[in-house]
Amino acid sequence: MLILVTIAITSCGGGGGSNAETAPSNSASASISASPTKVFLGDSTVVTWTSANASSCSASGDWSGSKAKTGSETVVLNIQGDVVFTINCGGASSTVTTTVNLEDFEGSCVNPHNAEIYESYLGVYEMPMPQNSFDDGHVKAVGFKDYGVEWIYNNYKSEGASWIADCTVDQYTKLMYRITLRRLKEHGVTLVGIYNFGYWQDHLADFWKVDHATKHIDDRTIEYIVSEADKLGIEIYYIWQFLAQDRNQDWLFDLSKGYVKVDMSILKKIMDAHEEHILWEADRLERISVDVISADWSAMWLCWHCGVNNEGHTQVQIDELKDYYMERMGAIIDQIKERFSGKVYAGEGIQWNDKRVFDKVDGIALPFGNLLFDYEVEIATVDLIQQRAMLWIEKTYDEWNCLDSQPCWYNSSATIPPVIFNVFTQSHASFLSKGWIEDGFCTHGTIDDVMYECIQYEIQTDFSAQAIFTEGLFRAIDTQSYFETLGTTTSTGYWLSDTLIPDANQYPASTNTVEGFPNMSQSVRGKPAEKIFKYWYTGHYEAYAPEFID
């Protein structure tokens, strides 16, 4: 909305005994406007003014100083409430008011979520204090959770949430991404990862092609995220997840074990499909000035030794499959670099030293595995996690440099690219020894030999477990000298709303969740681990101050 207030001051005079009033031809006038006139604290407005028949102008109200007779200024607004801009030109004046709100908004839509938790969520471990902070050259990354904001909106809409009446899906989407990016900026993040996926057209086709209309985060939304991030000085890292289903929910191949059992024909088909799509993405990402792309895919693992029919592969067959994969991945990186001017990373999926990849990428992502044994979970400490993380880093270094007892891969590189360490941690104690549990929807699972329809509701939330794991990893990364450290990230590690308590409407077990399970997820948002990230990324300590639900 544009508010324009114009006040013209006219001089009056008499003569010849007449009482008639006339306006002289040189009457001064001034007008001023601001756009927008309703902003979030810390945002800016553009103030524009014009004048006529005036020799000079000056500002008053909530700005000051001499001004040109016509002009515009971008003003950052750091005061809550009404901010008044007045322009005074040759005796004429004009005023406009801009309202500054503490809470961000998009049209009539305001943030409908809160970060309340149950006190039990805090967990049982002593909350650690962050020990150090990274320097300015360190890439300080966080990855968005791998779902689209539109998904949250539509789930709440189907549940009849009252706030939907005030928010269109477009307003809600823009608001949630903008709030999230601003929060990450406040926590020192310099690179944000976007994880995206889409369904394939037909699982029976000879060549799998992505149905772009089914992409979880559509291209228009990606462009909006990139634009908003650029305003904040945040770079974007784009990662494609290889979803193994077509648009009719038919599977491309058997993924029931959590990995793909490949032979050469299946591997070739996967690599053909990935190459065609990631090059399409590279062209588009170049046009919208994305900063980093992952050459490989996320969220789908290949089993080299399994055999499609569980017959197993010989070492010769395994090496042939691995060699083909690396040959294709190296060629994909070459083609990406021909069309994409940003940086190229790898390691979201398979990591081992092969010069066809290591000699070409700008960075390699390195996750940590399960660091503790089950019997150690109860006595876990930051020091123990740091020690195990250092052993993991050393073990990886030895593997990549042919210093372990295993045969050296024939095509190993003498140069290891800079490493971006993946500080991925869920907020439950069982993660420390057993690893990741699905956090987006209900899955069947067993605890102590008892089968549950929705294992997620049986997992004990523990924010402190995530906190000690995060701090332990940061300390190990900070002190290790094996690799050149590019930076740190947490893949899919940041929820896109403040919500921390699962919606009761998700129960009983269903894939139709409202917001999934943010309480036990790898997201650090609204949890003590977020403040640990903030200290390591900014050097500024902020105490964790949770809001407990009654």
Side-chain angles (χ1 to χ4, degrees):
M1 181 173 67
L2 184 68
I3 295 178
L4 180 63
V5 180
T6 304
I7 303 174
I9 306 298
T10 304
S11 300
C12 300
S18 170
N19 293 323
E21 296 182 357
T22 60
S25 61
N26 64 342
S27 299
S29 65
S31 66
I32 192 171
S33 64
S35 181
T37 55
K38 185 180 178 183
V39 300
F40 173 66
L41 185 68
D43 279 356
S44 61
T45 188
V46 178
V47 180
T48 304
W49 68 94
T50 61
S51 67
N53 300 319
S55 59
S56 63
C57 294
S58 62
S60 61
D62 290 313
W63 67 335
S64 61
S66 299
K67 303 295 177 184
K69 289 183 283 184
T70 297
S72 65
E73 286 186 14
T74 299
V75 183
V76 178
L77 301 171
N78 292 313
I79 304 173
Q80 182 190 4
D82 289 341
V83 178
V84 177
F85 299 99
T86 299
I87 193 73
N88 308 288
C89 303
S93 66
S94 181
T95 297
V96 67
T97 300
T98 295
T99 301
V100 183
N101 294 324
L102 274 176
E103 186 176 15
D104 203 353
F105 57 91
E106 182 70 28
S108 60
C109 188
V110 296
N111 183 4
H113 307 288
N114 66 66
E116 293 178 342
I117 64 169
Y118 298 115
E119 191 169 1
S120 63
Y121 280 11
L122 294 180
V124 300
Y125 302 97
E126 182 180 355
M127 291 294 183
M129 286 291 292
Q131 189 180 73
N132 203 356
S133 60
F134 297 119
D135 60 32
D136 291 342
H138 186 97
V139 174
K140 301 164 184 176
V142 163
F144 283 160
K145 185 68 179 79
D146 52 344
Y147 65 75
V149 169
E150 299 91 335
W151 174 72
I152 303 177
Y153 178 90
N154 289 325
N155 289 344
Y156 275 108
K157 185 176 181 179
S158 67
E159 296 293 339
S162 59
W163 58 263
I164 292 291
D166 299 318
C167 299
T168 66
V169 64
D170 186 63
Q171 289 172 333
Y172 179 79
T173 299
K174 288 181 177 179
L175 181 62
M176 288 297 101
Y177 279 119
R178 191 167 64 239
I179 288 174
T180 301
L181 285 166
R182 283 173 167 163
R183 183 173 179 132
L184 289 171
K185 177 69 174 181
E186 177 190 341
H187 285 75
V189 172
T190 59
L191 179 70
V192 167
I194 299 175
Y195 290 78
N196 202 9
F197 61 88
Y199 293 91
W200 304 89
Q201 294 176 8
D202 183 0
H203 74 291
L204 297 176
D206 292 334
F207 190 97
W208 294 321
K209 288 180 173 288
V210 168
D211 181 353
H212 289 271
T214 69
K215 288 164 75 170
H216 198 57
I217 308 174
D218 63 42
D219 296 340
R220 181 177 61 88
T221 301
I222 296 292
E223 291 182 25
Y224 174 78
I225 296 169
V226 173
S227 174
E228 290 300 306
D230 183 64
K231 295 175 186 176
L232 297 168
I234 295 175
E235 295 186 333
I236 292 296
Y237 173 28
Y238 189 85
I239 306 99
W240 182 253
Q241 295 183 323
F242 199 115
L243 182 67
Q245 287 180 291
D246 70 10
R247 56 192 170 196
N248 295 316
Q249 309 295 299
D250 291 318
W251 293 95
L252 307 186
F253 33 70
D254 179 18
L255 203 63
S256 59
K257 300 294 185 181
Y259 50 78
V260 186
K261 295 176 285 187
V262 295
D263 58 15
M264 190 59 76
S265 63
I266 291 178
L267 180 59
K268 182 180 186 304
K269 196 168 183 179
I270 289 172
M271 299 307 296
D272 287 345
H274 178 66
E275 177 179 311
E276 192 271 345
H277 182 71
I278 202 64
L279 295 182
W280 184 94
E281 293 284 5
D283 284 332
R284 181 179 67 91
L285 297 176
E286 174 68 14
R287 291 194 296 271
I288 62 175
S289 301
V290 165
D291 304 280
V292 186
I293 187 174
S294 175
D296 53 357
W297 62 78
S298 171
M300 187 187 74
W301 300 96
L302 307 180
C303 181
W304 308 111
H305 66 269
C306 296
V308 174
N309 298 310
N310 297 317
E311 72 277 13
H313 284 148
T314 66
Q315 189 60 52
V316 171
Q317 290 173 314
I318 292 170
D319 288 347
E320 287 176 350
L321 291 169
K322 292 173 68 176
D323 191 53
Y324 180 77
Y325 172 85
M326 281 298 182
E327 184 69 29
R328 291 295 302 273
M329 191 56 66
I332 288 170
I333 294 169
D334 289 337
Q335 293 178 81
I336 289 174
K337 288 194 166 188
E338 290 174 358
R339 61 196 73 204
F340 181 73
S341 60
K343 295 178 180 178
V344 181
Y345 293 172
E348 286 292 333
I350 303 164
Q351 308 99 6
W352 79 83
N353 181 354
D354 187 293
K355 64 177 62 175
R356 289 165 290 189
V357 171
F358 271 37
D359 287 356
K360 296 175 181 178
V361 295
D362 300 292
I364 189 80
L366 177 60
F368 292 84
N370 301 339
L371 300 183
L372 302 187
F373 296 103
D374 289 345
Y375 71 86
E376 295 175 312
V377 170
E378 188 175 345
I379 59 171
T381 63
V382 172
D383 289 343
L384 178 59
I385 292 164
Q386 179 183 359
Q387 179 188 47
R388 296 294 171 76
M390 286 294 291
L391 290 173
W392 181 271
I393 293 170
E394 180 182 8
K395 173 177 173 289
T396 305
Y397 178 85
D398 288 348
E399 289 173 354
W400 286 358
N401 287 279
C402 299
L403 300 175
D404 60 357
S405 60
Q406 299 300 312
C408 190
W409 179 247
Y410 85 95
N411 216 19
S412 296
S413 174
T415 304
I416 306 298
V419 171
I420 183 164
F421 291 95
N422 188 356
V423 186
F424 177 97
T425 316
Q426 289 191 310
S427 42
H428 54 93
S430 59
F431 176 87
L432 304 181
S433 61
K434 297 185 184 306
W436 179 81
I437 295 174
E438 175 60 57
D439 60 0
F441 49 85
C442 285
T443 57
H444 296 101
T446 301
I447 299 178
D448 297 330
D449 298 323
V450 177
M451 174 63 73
Y452 295 94
E453 287 189 22
C454 186
I455 195 69
Q456 287 73 13
Y457 277 106
E458 309 306 321
I459 297 297
Q460 181 66 45
T461 300
D462 192 323
F463 289 178
S464 65
Q466 184 186 52
I468 64 170
F469 201 86
T470 299
E471 177 63 18
L473 295 190
F474 275 143
R475 292 183 188 183
I477 294 162
D478 187 43
T479 56
Q480 69 87 27
S481 58
Y482 293 96
F483 297 109
E484 177 187 348
T485 299
L486 175 63
T488 47
T489 188
T490 173
S491 60
T492 66
Y494 210 79
W495 223 251
L496 295 168
S497 81
D498 297 315
T499 304
L500 287 166
I501 298 176
D503 192 288
N505 292 319
Q506 296 177 177
Y507 197 78
S510 170
T511 57
N512 297 318
T513 54
V514 181
E515 281 198 70
F517 297 89
N519 55 313
M520 48 76 68
S521 76
Q522 62 266 24
S523 172
V524 299
R525 184 170 183 164
K527 302 174 185 178
E530 183 180 37
K531 302 311 173 188
I532 294 173
F533 266 86
K534 183 171 185 177
Y535 190 87
W536 281 92
Y537 280 9
T538 69
H540 300 299
Y541 175 72
E542 180 183 352
Y544 177 62
E547 298 178 23
F548 298 124
I549 194 169
D550 295 334

